[in-house]
PDB file of all heavy atoms in Angstrom:
ATOM      1  N   PRO A 419     -39.618  -7.741  17.612  1.00 98.00           N
ATOM      2  CA  PRO A 419     -39.448  -7.648  19.018  1.00 98.00           C
ATOM      3  C   PRO A 419     -38.714  -8.921  19.548  1.00 98.00           C
ATOM      4  O   PRO A 419     -38.084  -8.945  20.637  1.00 98.00           O
ATOM      5  CB  PRO A 419     -40.731  -7.389  19.656  1.00 98.00           C
ATOM      6  CG  PRO A 419     -41.573  -6.849  18.570  1.00 98.00           C
ATOM      7  CD  PRO A 419     -41.073  -7.382  17.212  1.00 98.00           C
ATOM      8  N   GLU A 420     -39.006 -10.001  18.924  1.00 98.00           N
ATOM      9  CA  GLU A 420     -38.397 -11.302  19.362  1.00 98.00           C
ATOM     10  C   GLU A 420     -36.884 -11.282  19.137  1.00 98.00           C
ATOM     11  O   GLU A 420     -36.143 -12.044  19.858  1.00 98.00           O
ATOM     12  CB  GLU A 420     -38.995 -12.485  18.560  1.00 98.00           C
ATOM     13  CG  GLU A 420     -40.357 -12.863  19.001  1.00 98.00           C
ATOM     14  CD  GLU A 420     -41.467 -11.996  18.327  1.00 98.00           C
ATOM     15  OE1 GLU A 420     -41.136 -11.083  17.602  1.00 98.00           O
ATOM     16  OE2 GLU A 420     -42.657 -12.225  18.688  1.00 98.00           O
ATOM     17  N   THR A 421     -36.364 -10.379  18.277  1.00 98.00           N
ATOM     18  CA  THR A 421     -34.935 -10.458  18.069  1.00 98.00           C
ATOM     19  C   THR A 421     -34.179  -9.892  19.313  1.00 98.00           C
ATOM     20  O   THR A 421     -33.309 -10.681  19.837  1.00 98.00           O
ATOM     21  CB  THR A 421     -34.556  -9.586  16.867  1.00 98.00           C
ATOM     22  OG1 THR A 421     -35.529  -9.878  15.750  1.00 98.00           O
ATOM     23  CG2 THR A 421     -33.217  -9.861  16.357  1.00 98.00           C
ATOM     24  N   PRO A 422     -34.471  -8.797  19.925  1.00 98.00           N
ATOM     25  CA  PRO A 422     -33.860  -8.441  21.142  1.00 98.00           C
ATOM     26  C   PRO A 422     -34.158  -9.361  22.251  1.00 98.00           C
ATOM     27  O   PRO A 422     -33.269  -9.675  23.093  1.00 98.00           O
ATOM     28  CB  PRO A 422     -34.335  -7.024  21.484  1.00 98.00           C
ATOM     29  CG  PRO A 422     -35.400  -6.639  20.516  1.00 98.00           C
ATOM     30  CD  PRO A 422     -35.281  -7.572  19.387  1.00 98.00           C
ATOM     31  N   ALA A 423     -35.411  -9.961  22.304  1.00 98.00           N
ATOM     32  CA  ALA A 423     -35.706 -10.841  23.345  1.00 98.00           C
ATOM     33  C   ALA A 423     -34.860 -12.097  23.304  1.00 98.00           C
ATOM     34  O   ALA A 423     -34.455 -12.652  24.254  1.00 98.00           O
ATOM     35  CB  ALA A 423     -37.187 -11.308  23.306  1.00 98.00           C
ATOM     36  N   ALA A 424     -34.550 -12.520  21.987  1.00 98.00           N
ATOM     37  CA  ALA A 424     -33.680 -13.747  21.836  1.00 98.00           C
ATOM     38  C   ALA A 424     -32.302 -13.447  22.330  1.00 98.00           C
ATOM     39  O   ALA A 424     -31.600 -14.212  23.051  1.00 98.00           O
ATOM     40  CB  ALA A 424     -33.609 -14.176  20.380  1.00 98.00           C
ATOM     41  N   MET A 425     -31.711 -12.204  22.027  1.00 99.00           N
ATOM     42  CA  MET A 425     -30.407 -11.846  22.492  1.00 99.00           C
ATOM     43  C   MET A 425     -30.342 -11.811  23.991  1.00 99.00           C
ATOM     44  O   MET A 425     -29.463 -12.367  24.584  1.00 99.00           O
ATOM     45  CB  MET A 425     -29.989 -10.463  21.840  1.00 99.00           C
ATOM     46  CG  MET A 425     -29.867 -10.526  20.351  1.00 99.00           C
ATOM     47  SD  MET A 425     -29.978  -8.881  19.565  1.00 99.00           S
ATOM     48  CE  MET A 425     -28.383  -8.283  19.954  1.00 99.00           C
ATOM     49  N   LEU A 426     -31.320 -11.212  24.554  1.00 99.00           N
ATOM     50  CA  LEU A 426     -31.428 -10.988  26.061  1.00 99.00           C
ATOM     51  C   LEU A 426     -31.687 -12.364  26.745  1.00 99.00           C
ATOM     52  O   LEU A 426     -31.105 -12.547  27.899  1.00 99.00           O
ATOM     53  CB  LEU A 426     -32.465 -10.061  26.419  1.00 99.00           C
ATOM     54  CG  LEU A 426     -32.265  -8.672  25.926  1.00 99.00           C
ATOM     55  CD1 LEU A 426     -33.461  -7.662  26.088  1.00 99.00           C
ATOM     56  CD2 LEU A 426     -31.095  -7.917  26.760  1.00 99.00           C
ATOM     57  N   GLY A 427     -32.333 -13.206  26.092  1.00 98.00           N
ATOM     58  CA  GLY A 427     -32.541 -14.532  26.582  1.00 98.00           C
ATOM     59  C   GLY A 427     -31.209 -15.372  26.654  1.00 98.00           C
ATOM     60  O   GLY A 427     -30.971 -16.003  27.724  1.00 98.00           O
ATOM     61  N   CYS A 428     -30.369 -15.204  25.695  1.00 99.00           N
ATOM     62  CA  CYS A 428     -29.071 -15.820  25.693  1.00 99.00           C
ATOM     63  C   CYS A 428     -28.304 -15.228  26.915  1.00 99.00           C
ATOM     64  O   CYS A 428     -27.698 -15.941  27.726  1.00 99.00           O
ATOM     65  CB  CYS A 428     -28.356 -15.495  24.463  1.00 99.00           C
ATOM     66  SG  CYS A 428     -29.116 -16.311  22.976  1.00 99.00           S
ATOM     67  N   ALA A 429     -28.269 -13.879  26.947  1.00 99.00           N
ATOM     68  CA  ALA A 429     -27.519 -13.146  27.936  1.00 99.00           C
ATOM     69  C   ALA A 429     -27.939 -13.582  29.340  1.00 99.00           C
ATOM     70  O   ALA A 429     -27.072 -13.625  30.289  1.00 99.00           O
ATOM     71  CB  ALA A 429     -27.643 -11.679  27.780  1.00 99.00           C
ATOM     72  N   ARG A 430     -29.225 -13.880  29.450  1.00 98.00           N
ATOM     73  CA  ARG A 430     -29.760 -14.140  30.799  1.00 98.00           C
ATOM     74  C   ARG A 430     -29.122 -15.480  31.375  1.00 98.00           C
ATOM     75  O   ARG A 430     -28.980 -15.625  32.577  1.00 98.00           O
ATOM     76  CB  ARG A 430     -31.318 -14.411  30.738  1.00 98.00           C
ATOM     77  CG  ARG A 430     -31.941 -14.292  32.093  1.00 98.00           C
ATOM     78  CD  ARG A 430     -33.418 -13.983  31.964  1.00 98.00           C
ATOM     79  NE  ARG A 430     -34.037 -13.705  33.211  1.00 98.00           N
ATOM     80  CZ  ARG A 430     -34.066 -12.434  33.817  1.00 98.00           C
ATOM     81  NH1 ARG A 430     -33.557 -11.395  33.121  1.00 98.00           N
ATOM     82  NH2 ARG A 430     -34.560 -12.314  34.986  1.00 98.00           N
ATOM     83  N   ILE A 431     -28.857 -16.435  30.551  1.00 98.00           N
ATOM     84  CA  ILE A 431     -28.349 -17.710  31.041  1.00 98.00           C
ATOM     85  C   ILE A 431     -26.820 -17.877  30.745  1.00 98.00           C
ATOM     86  O   ILE A 431     -26.289 -18.958  30.922  1.00 98.00           O
ATOM     87  CB  ILE A 431     -29.151 -18.939  30.483  1.00 98.00           C
ATOM     88  CG1 ILE A 431     -28.985 -19.025  28.917  1.00 98.00           C
ATOM     89  CG2 ILE A 431     -30.594 -18.838  30.908  1.00 98.00           C
ATOM     90  CD1 ILE A 431     -29.534 -20.367  28.408  1.00 98.00           C
ATOM     91  N   GLY A 432     -26.227 -16.810  30.149  1.00 98.00           N
ATOM     92  CA  GLY A 432     -24.821 -16.932  29.835  1.00 98.00           C
ATOM     93  C   GLY A 432     -24.571 -17.570  28.548  1.00 98.00           C
ATOM     94  O   GLY A 432     -23.303 -17.977  28.344  1.00 98.00           O
ATOM     95  N   ALA A 433     -25.489 -17.776  27.629  1.00 98.00           N
ATOM     96  CA  ALA A 433     -25.262 -18.270  26.354  1.00 98.00           C
ATOM     97  C   ALA A 433     -24.770 -17.180  25.507  1.00 98.00           C
ATOM     98  O   ALA A 433     -25.003 -16.012  25.817  1.00 98.00           O
ATOM     99  CB  ALA A 433     -26.516 -18.915  25.690  1.00 98.00           C
ATOM    100  N   ILE A 434     -23.953 -17.416  24.501  1.00 98.00           N
ATOM    101  CA  ILE A 434     -23.365 -16.441  23.759  1.00 98.00           C
ATOM    102  C   ILE A 434     -24.038 -16.269  22.374  1.00 98.00           C
ATOM    103  O   ILE A 434     -24.143 -17.230  21.647  1.00 98.00           O
ATOM    104  CB  ILE A 434     -21.799 -16.800  23.451  1.00 98.00           C
ATOM    105  CG1 ILE A 434     -21.081 -17.053  24.755  1.00 98.00           C
ATOM    106  CG2 ILE A 434     -21.128 -15.724  22.628  1.00 98.00           C
ATOM    107  CD1 ILE A 434     -19.826 -17.832  24.595  1.00 98.00           C
ATOM    108  N   HIS A 435     -24.635 -15.096  22.145  1.00 98.00           N
ATOM    109  CA  HIS A 435     -25.344 -14.975  20.873  1.00 98.00           C
ATOM    110  C   HIS A 435     -24.364 -14.668  19.716  1.00 98.00           C
ATOM    111  O   HIS A 435     -23.411 -13.957  19.863  1.00 98.00           O
ATOM    112  CB  HIS A 435     -26.610 -14.176  20.955  1.00 98.00           C
ATOM    113  CG  HIS A 435     -26.385 -12.703  21.353  1.00 98.00           C
ATOM    114  ND1 HIS A 435     -25.783 -11.806  20.495  1.00 98.00           N
ATOM    115  CD2 HIS A 435     -26.799 -12.117  22.410  1.00 98.00           C
ATOM    116  CE1 HIS A 435     -25.838 -10.646  21.075  1.00 98.00           C
ATOM    117  NE2 HIS A 435     -26.429 -10.778  22.288  1.00 98.00           N
ATOM    118  N   ASN A 436     -24.854 -15.149  18.539  1.00 98.00           N
ATOM    119  CA  ASN A 436     -24.067 -14.913  17.318  1.00 98.00           C
ATOM    120  C   ASN A 436     -25.119 -14.558  16.293  1.00 98.00           C
ATOM    121  O   ASN A 436     -25.735 -15.378  15.662  1.00 98.00           O
ATOM    122  CB  ASN A 436     -23.350 -16.292  16.908  1.00 98.00           C
ATOM    123  CG  ASN A 436     -22.535 -16.165  15.751  1.00 98.00           C
ATOM    124  OD1 ASN A 436     -22.417 -15.174  15.065  1.00 98.00           O
ATOM    125  ND2 ASN A 436     -21.801 -17.282  15.381  1.00 98.00           N
ATOM    126  N   VAL A 437     -25.301 -13.254  16.107  1.00 98.00           N
ATOM    127  CA  VAL A 437     -26.293 -12.725  15.308  1.00 98.00           C
ATOM    128  C   VAL A 437     -25.795 -12.559  13.889  1.00 98.00           C
ATOM    129  O   VAL A 437     -24.656 -12.032  13.682  1.00 98.00           O
ATOM    130  CB  VAL A 437     -26.815 -11.398  15.750  1.00 98.00           C
ATOM    131  CG1 VAL A 437     -27.973 -10.805  14.754  1.00 98.00           C
ATOM    132  CG2 VAL A 437     -27.457 -11.425  17.173  1.00 98.00           C
ATOM    133  N   VAL A 438     -26.492 -13.066  12.911  1.00 97.00           N
ATOM    134  CA  VAL A 438     -26.123 -12.994  11.493  1.00 97.00           C
ATOM    135  C   VAL A 438     -27.156 -11.981  10.880  1.00 97.00           C
ATOM    136  O   VAL A 438     -28.344 -12.322  10.859  1.00 97.00           O
ATOM    137  CB  VAL A 438     -26.013 -14.233  10.765  1.00 97.00           C
ATOM    138  CG1 VAL A 438     -25.546 -14.086   9.347  1.00 97.00           C
ATOM    139  CG2 VAL A 438     -25.078 -15.243  11.459  1.00 97.00           C
ATOM    140  N   PHE A 439     -26.682 -10.972  10.166  1.00 96.00           N
ATOM    141  CA  PHE A 439     -27.556  -9.960   9.622  1.00 96.00           C
ATOM    142  C   PHE A 439     -28.557 -10.710   8.689  1.00 96.00           C
ATOM    143  O   PHE A 439     -28.118 -11.551   7.855  1.00 96.00           O
ATOM    144  CB  PHE A 439     -26.692  -8.990   8.853  1.00 96.00           C
ATOM    145  CG  PHE A 439     -27.515  -7.989   7.963  1.00 96.00           C
ATOM    146  CD1 PHE A 439     -28.514  -7.215   8.391  1.00 96.00           C
ATOM    147  CD2 PHE A 439     -27.148  -7.939   6.665  1.00 96.00           C
ATOM    148  CE1 PHE A 439     -29.219  -6.409   7.591  1.00 96.00           C
ATOM    149  CE2 PHE A 439     -27.761  -7.067   5.743  1.00 96.00           C
ATOM    150  CZ  PHE A 439     -28.824  -6.274   6.240  1.00 96.00           C
ATOM    151  N   GLY A 440     -29.805 -10.404   8.705  1.00 95.00           N
ATOM    152  CA  GLY A 440     -30.820 -11.063   7.858  1.00 95.00           C
ATOM    153  C   GLY A 440     -30.661 -10.917   6.446  1.00 95.00           C
ATOM    154  O   GLY A 440     -31.172 -11.675   5.616  1.00 95.00           O
ATOM    155  N   GLY A 441     -29.821  -9.871   5.967  1.00 93.00           N
ATOM    156  CA  GLY A 441     -29.541  -9.729   4.551  1.00 93.00           C
ATOM    157  C   GLY A 441     -28.416 -10.553   4.013  1.00 93.00           C
ATOM    158  O   GLY A 441     -28.165 -10.787   2.827  1.00 93.00           O
ATOM    159  N   PHE A 442     -27.758 -11.304   4.975  1.00 95.00           N
ATOM    160  CA  PHE A 442     -26.700 -12.272   4.474  1.00 95.00           C
ATOM    161  C   PHE A 442     -27.437 -13.579   4.009  1.00 95.00           C
ATOM    162  O   PHE A 442     -28.495 -13.899   4.387  1.00 95.00           O
ATOM    163  CB  PHE A 442     -25.709 -12.659   5.538  1.00 95.00           C
ATOM    164  CG  PHE A 442     -24.620 -11.592   5.846  1.00 95.00           C
ATOM    165  CD1 PHE A 442     -24.431 -10.999   7.014  1.00 95.00           C
ATOM    166  CD2 PHE A 442     -23.824 -11.265   4.771  1.00 95.00           C
ATOM    167  CE1 PHE A 442     -23.417 -10.115   7.287  1.00 95.00           C
ATOM    168  CE2 PHE A 442     -22.829 -10.301   4.989  1.00 95.00           C
ATOM    169  CZ  PHE A 442     -22.562  -9.777   6.165  1.00 95.00           C
TER     170      PHE A 442
END
Side-chain angles (χ1 to χ4, degrees):
E420 284 79 3
T421 316
M425 294 161 77
L426 294 163
C428 292
R430 198 158 190 91
I431 61 166
I434 305 164
H435 58 72
N436 182 356
V437 179
V438 183
F439 170 56
F442 277 126

